[in-house]
Amino acid sequence: MARGTHGRNAAVSAAGIIAVAGLTVVSLPGTGRALSSDPYADLPAAITLAGTVRDFRAAGTPGGHADFEAYNTGHRVGLVAAELDADGKPVYIGEGKSVQTQYRDSRGRNIMPAMYDQSKGDAAGALASPSSRAVTSQATMAQWWRDVPGTNMAKSHSIVLSRQPNTNIYSFHEQDNESTAEREGFFPADNDLYNDMNPTYHHNYHFTYELSTRFVYKQGGGQTFTFVGDDDVYVFIDGKLAIDVGGVHSAVSQTVDLDRFASKHGLRDGSTYSLKFFFAERRTTRSNCRIDTTLFLLPAELPKTAFLFD
């Protein structure tokens, strides 16, 4: 809802300044034109992207899936291959490494260990061999991103990324505020699909979310994509792994800098590339999902869903 105009026109150095919809606008005398102080005012206020939710039942319940509510691993990297398979899905390749200390770039942002570059001022983290499993098998993970009658149910679900005031940063933020007894957060399967609402926390846990989008790479444009949340999240750009937040864990952040990624993977200035986002909420009691990006994300084909009900 638009906010009202604040204040009245006033002459300031031959230009009238008024506040419209919360933004400072400079009126040029004699021109009838206005200059907004928001340098990104030409960008839309929001971007809506459509994805697919797949709902699962918890392990140990009738029809339950072995990977949901069965593990509590902490942050893992290396659970999935560095490239998507022929179907455009992540592939489980092994138990990977437990993240003991995060790898960070020169600006202090968490990054994938594979993107670490000491010559750029990055800070090395620490990894360790895991002592427990995070995924049952390659076959069970494959079901996370595919329609499997009797194992999951699916529906479309859109998210809205809103532009932060006076910036080109778009954000989607549905988090669990740990200071409140209520479990807020990202719960797109609530009161739907299997509708197995947790009787204590009153949410439908145990789901995945798959989103496909596109963007134009602008060399030197400061483009970034940051995720903060839990549990497993994998972001692939042009089919190659860019964010690796695997395992069952509390909220973890990771950022991909597109210029650095482009240098490593050969992205070309001005070309359009795919971005695929894979999210899995695998265990009670919290579900956090936050995206902050300077990429102008474009709608892409919705992942194919064979059915809505099993």
Side-chain angles (χ1 to χ4, degrees), residues 256-271:
V256 56
D257 180 301
L258 269 295
D259 282 335
R260 182 181 291 200
F261 187 88
S263 177
K264 184 179 180 68
H265 294 292
L267 304 191
R268 294 176 297 178
D269 184 31
S271 294

Side-chain angles (χ1 to χ4, degrees), residues 102-113:
Q102 296 289 340
Y103 284 72
R104 294 185 171 89
D105 66 14
S106 60
R107 297 178 60 180
R109 302 173 297 193
N110 293 351
I111 57 174
M112 277 199 335

Side-chain angles (χ1 to χ4, degrees), residues 2-287:
R3 287 169 289 179
T5 301
H6 302 280
R8 299 178 181 274
N9 293 355
V12 179
S13 300
I17 297 180
I18 57 174
V20 179
L23 298 177
T24 300
V25 178
V26 179
S27 177
L28 300 181
T31 68
R33 293 183 292 112
L35 297 178
S36 171
S37 66
D38 181 356
Y40 303 100
D42 57 325
L43 293 176
I47 299 171
T48 300
L49 300 173
T52 298
V53 175
R54 293 180 175 90
D55 191 19
F56 297 80
R57 296 185 177 101
T61 65
H65 191 282
D67 293 337
F68 292 83
E69 204 61 34
Y71 299 103
N72 190 12
T73 66
H75 181 194
R76 297 273 183 95
V77 294
L79 289 173
V80 302
E83 296 191 18
L84 294 171
D85 68 10
D87 294 333
K89 310 288 187 177
V91 181
Y92 170 77
I93 58 171
E95 287 304 300
K97 295 290 185 179
S98 296
V99 179
Q100 305 297 301
T101 306
Q102 296 289 340
Y103 284 72
R104 294 185 171 89
D105 66 14
S106 60
R107 297 178 60 180
R109 302 173 297 193
N110 293 351
I111 57 174
M112 277 199 335
M115 295 301 296
Y116 169 72
D117 187 339
Q118 184 179 17
S119 70
K120 296 183 182 299
D122 296 346
L127 307 177
S129 297
S131 58
S132 62
R133 298 192 66 82
V135 177
T136 302
S137 69
Q138 187 176 94
T140 61
M141 180 184 268
Q143 294 173 337
W144 296 10
W145 323 114
R146 293 169 170 86
D147 300 333
V148 185
T151 296
N152 59 30
M153 298 175 67
K155 70 170 186 175
S156 62
H157 179 80
S158 294
I159 63 172
V160 177
L161 286 76
S162 300
R163 189 169 67 87
Q164 297 182 16
N166 303 318
T167 76
N168 63 340
I169 300 171
Y170 284 89
S171 298
F172 170 78
H173 193 189
E174 292 188 357
Q175 76 163 28
D176 188 350
N177 184 346
E178 297 186 15
S179 67
T180 65
E182 176 70 18
R183 293 294 193 269
E184 306 93 352
F186 182 55
F187 293 105
D190 272 7
N191 300 302
D192 205 348
L193 302 175
Y194 284 132
N195 196 28
D196 50 348
M197 302 288 284
N198 183 280
T200 301
Y201 303 112
H202 311 297
H203 287 297
N204 186 358
Y205 293 86
H206 315 123
F207 61 88
T208 65
Y209 185 58
E210 177 183 355
L211 182 71
S212 296
T213 181
R214 299 171 295 126
F215 69 94
V216 176
Y217 169 57
K218 298 180 180 180
Q219 185 175 2
Q223 293 174 313
T224 60
F225 185 101
T226 297
F227 171 78
V228 185
D230 61 288
D231 290 310
D232 311 72
V233 165
Y234 308 106
V235 175
F236 289 81
I237 293 173
D238 194 31
K240 302 171 183 66
L241 189 61
I243 284 182
D244 186 1
V245 185
V248 180
H249 49 77
S250 57
V252 172
S253 71
Q254 203 169 94
T255 294
V256 56
D257 180 301
L258 269 295
D259 282 335
R260 182 181 291 200
F261 187 88
S263 177
K264 184 179 180 68
H265 294 292
L267 304 191
R268 294 176 297 178
D269 184 31
S271 294
T272 300
Y273 294 96
S274 65
L275 185 149
K276 293 194 173 185
F277 176 84
F278 299 90
F279 176 103
E281 174 55 40
R282 291 206 276 152
R283 188 180 179 92
T284 53
T285 60
R286 303 187 185 279
S287 179

